[in-house]
């Protein structure tokens, strides 16, 4: 068996919701597993059940509940359990697997918009990621009063539990530009939709290698035969981009994805052992 290599990770950029990494010495199946787990298996908190106490607005209860479900909530994976893993095993849930949020909104004069900021949570750490998500419009005299229950869940069961808006990777590009200046031709630089190249004294140079998406337009545009420009990709290097919806920091999503993959592999190994017996 091949000795496990050390994966090399370089952070290109990182902020509260977005992370871009170069990952080297990995294979496509691992990258794809992490991508899929990031999308479908890393749990996050979302409203799953709504008890409507009063709704005199024009939107039906179901539509209001749907809008609430799709409101991203800040997630705390340390404190809460997935309902299926919680010791309570109750369909109503317990304080370890459920957060109650309430909304009591009314319009006393004119029409007004009710925003996510008006939801009151029993846990101040589990609140909508923004106060400015519109939930409903109320005309004068209309009222909306409800109690909502948020639970952890997975994106594979409903998109409201998907913690990412982007979780993708691409091959690390490898570009060879003509060594000498091309006479009067800069077609490759002009056609590139990502503006990867820059022309300096009729010589093509690479301005931004990482933005190349390997579309090959530059190679096709080159009139020379054989082509003077060469675009390839590195076999075991990838650029990964994770954009969180705000429910979890993007690096936490990646860390959780690796933990989940680890657990799944262990379970798989156990299953194999059982089969062999
Ligand atoms: Zn519970």
């Amino acid at each position: 068996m091949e000795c496990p290599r050390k994966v090399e990770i370089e952070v290109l950029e990182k902020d509260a919701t977005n992370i871009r990494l170069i990952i080297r010495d990995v294979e496509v199946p691992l990258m794809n597993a992490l991508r899929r787990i990031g999308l479908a298996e890393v749990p996050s908190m979302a409203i799953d059940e709504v008890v409507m106490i009063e709704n005199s607005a024009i939107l039906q209860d179901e539509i209001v509940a749907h809008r609430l479900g799709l409101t991203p909530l800040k997630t705390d994976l340390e404190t809460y359990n997935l309902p299926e893993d919680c010791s309570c095993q109750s369909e109503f849930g317990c304080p370890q697997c459920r957060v109650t949020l309430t909304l009591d909104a009314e319009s006393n004069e004119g029409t007004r918009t009710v925003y996510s900021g008006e939801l009151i949570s029993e846990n101040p750490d589990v609140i909508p990621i923004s106060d400015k998500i519109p939930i409903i419009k109320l005309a004068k005299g209309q009222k909306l009063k409800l109690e909502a229950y948020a639970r952890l869940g997975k994106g594979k069961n409903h998109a409201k539990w998907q913690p990412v808006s982007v979780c993708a990777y691409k091959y690390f590009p490898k570009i060879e530009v003509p060594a000498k200046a091309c006479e009067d031709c800069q077609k490759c630089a002009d056609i590139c939709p990502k503006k990867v190249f820059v022309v300096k004294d009729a010589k093509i140079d690479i301005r931004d290698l990482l933005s190349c998406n390997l579309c090959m337009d530059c190679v096709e545009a080159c009139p020379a035969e054989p082509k003077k420009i060469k675009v390839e990709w590195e076999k075991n290097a990838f650029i990964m981009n994770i954009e969180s919806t705000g429910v979890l920091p993007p690096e936490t999503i990646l860390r959780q994805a690796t933990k989940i993959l680890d657990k799944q592999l262990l379970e798989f190994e156990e299953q194999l052992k059982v089969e062999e017996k």
Side-chain angles (χ1 to χ4, degrees):
M1 223 173 98
E2 218 178 309
C3 173
R5 284 164 303 177
K6 232 185 179 161
V7 174
E8 208 181 287
I9 298 178
E10 184 189 328
V11 179
L12 290 172
E13 52 192 81
K14 183 174 105 71
D15 58 31
T17 55
N18 201 21
I19 194 165
R20 209 151 78 100
L21 312 153
I22 299 177
I23 307 184
R24 290 178 195 279
D25 284 334
V26 285
E27 311 280 332
V28 178
L30 175 63
M31 290 303 296
N32 203 32
L34 290 177
R35 180 188 73 84
R36 293 183 67 129
I37 294 172
L39 283 167
E41 306 249 8
V42 174
S44 73
M45 207 50 124
I47 289 173
D48 189 34
E49 204 181 330
V50 176
V51 175
M52 213 51 89
I53 297 161
E54 189 178 345
N55 178 10
S56 53
I58 57 159
L59 283 187
Q60 292 94 327
D61 296 354
E62 290 83 352
I63 296 176
V64 177
H66 183 250
R67 291 195 60 77
L68 289 168
L70 289 173
T71 305
L73 301 178
K74 281 187 189 147
T75 297
D76 175 359
L77 292 175
E78 301 298 318
T79 315
Y80 293 98
N81 300 324
L82 277 161
E84 59 264 36
D85 297 341
C86 189
S87 55
C88 72
Q89 289 299 315
S90 145
E91 67 173 298
F92 305 107
C94 71
Q96 261 85 55
C97 62
R98 183 201 61 201
V99 181
T100 308
L101 296 102
T102 52
L103 179 70
D104 189 358
E106 196 176 357
S107 175
N108 295 319
E109 44 188 88
T111 305
R112 77 166 185 105
T113 306
V114 179
Y115 291 96
S116 52
E118 288 179 54
L119 279 164
I120 297 164
S121 171
E122 63 174 350
N123 180 348
D125 294 330
V126 181
I127 50 168
I129 55 146
S130 161
D131 289 346
K132 294 275 177 287
I133 303 168
I135 291 169
I136 196 170
K137 268 191 173 176
L138 296 179
K140 191 181 174 191
Q142 290 180 345
K143 214 175 158 186
L144 180 67
K145 191 173 177 184
L146 55 88
E147 204 168 275
Y149 305 108
R151 296 186 176 98
L152 285 179
K154 293 176 181 177
K156 66 178 176 186
N157 295 324
H158 195 292
K160 67 183 174 185
W161 281 305
Q162 195 175 297
V164 290
S165 42
V166 175
C167 187
Y169 67 89
K170 63 176 182 181
Y171 283 100
F172 194 90
K174 207 162 88 180
I175 304 177
E176 270 176 46
V177 290
K180 280 184 275 175
C182 292
E183 301 83 34
D184 305 328
C185 169
Q186 32 179 284
K187 285 189 177 137
C188 55
D190 293 341
I191 203 160
C192 178
K194 295 285 181 181
K195 305 277 169 258
V196 171
F197 305 102
V198 66
V199 184
K200 255 189 247 158
D201 310 322
K203 166 109 175 61
I204 308 289
D205 247 328
I206 296 169
R207 183 185 64 92
D208 183 8
L209 175 68
L210 297 185
S211 66
C212 174
N213 61 359
L214 305 169
C215 70
M216 301 290 166
D217 278 0
C218 54
V219 179
E220 272 167 42
C222 181
E225 229 24 275
K227 305 283 187 192
K228 286 187 176 174
I229 191 156
K230 208 166 147 193
V231 177
E232 288 175 319
W233 51 89
E234 286 183 30
K235 225 178 116 207
N236 295 326
F238 302 88
I239 301 168
M240 189 173 206
N241 190 12
I242 299 176
E243 191 184 288
S244 159
T245 55
V247 296
L248 285 166
E251 64 275 19
T252 307
I253 294 170
L254 186 59
R255 257 189 225 125
Q256 286 293 329
T258 55
K259 271 190 201 166
I260 292 167
L261 180 63
D262 210 31
K263 204 174 142 220
Q264 287 178 344
L265 288 172
L266 283 174
E267 278 169 12
F268 183 58
E269 203 186 344
E270 288 300 313
Q271 294 256 334
L272 281 179
K273 277 182 196 159
V274 172
E275 291 288 318
E276 277 167 11
K277 271 179 195 165

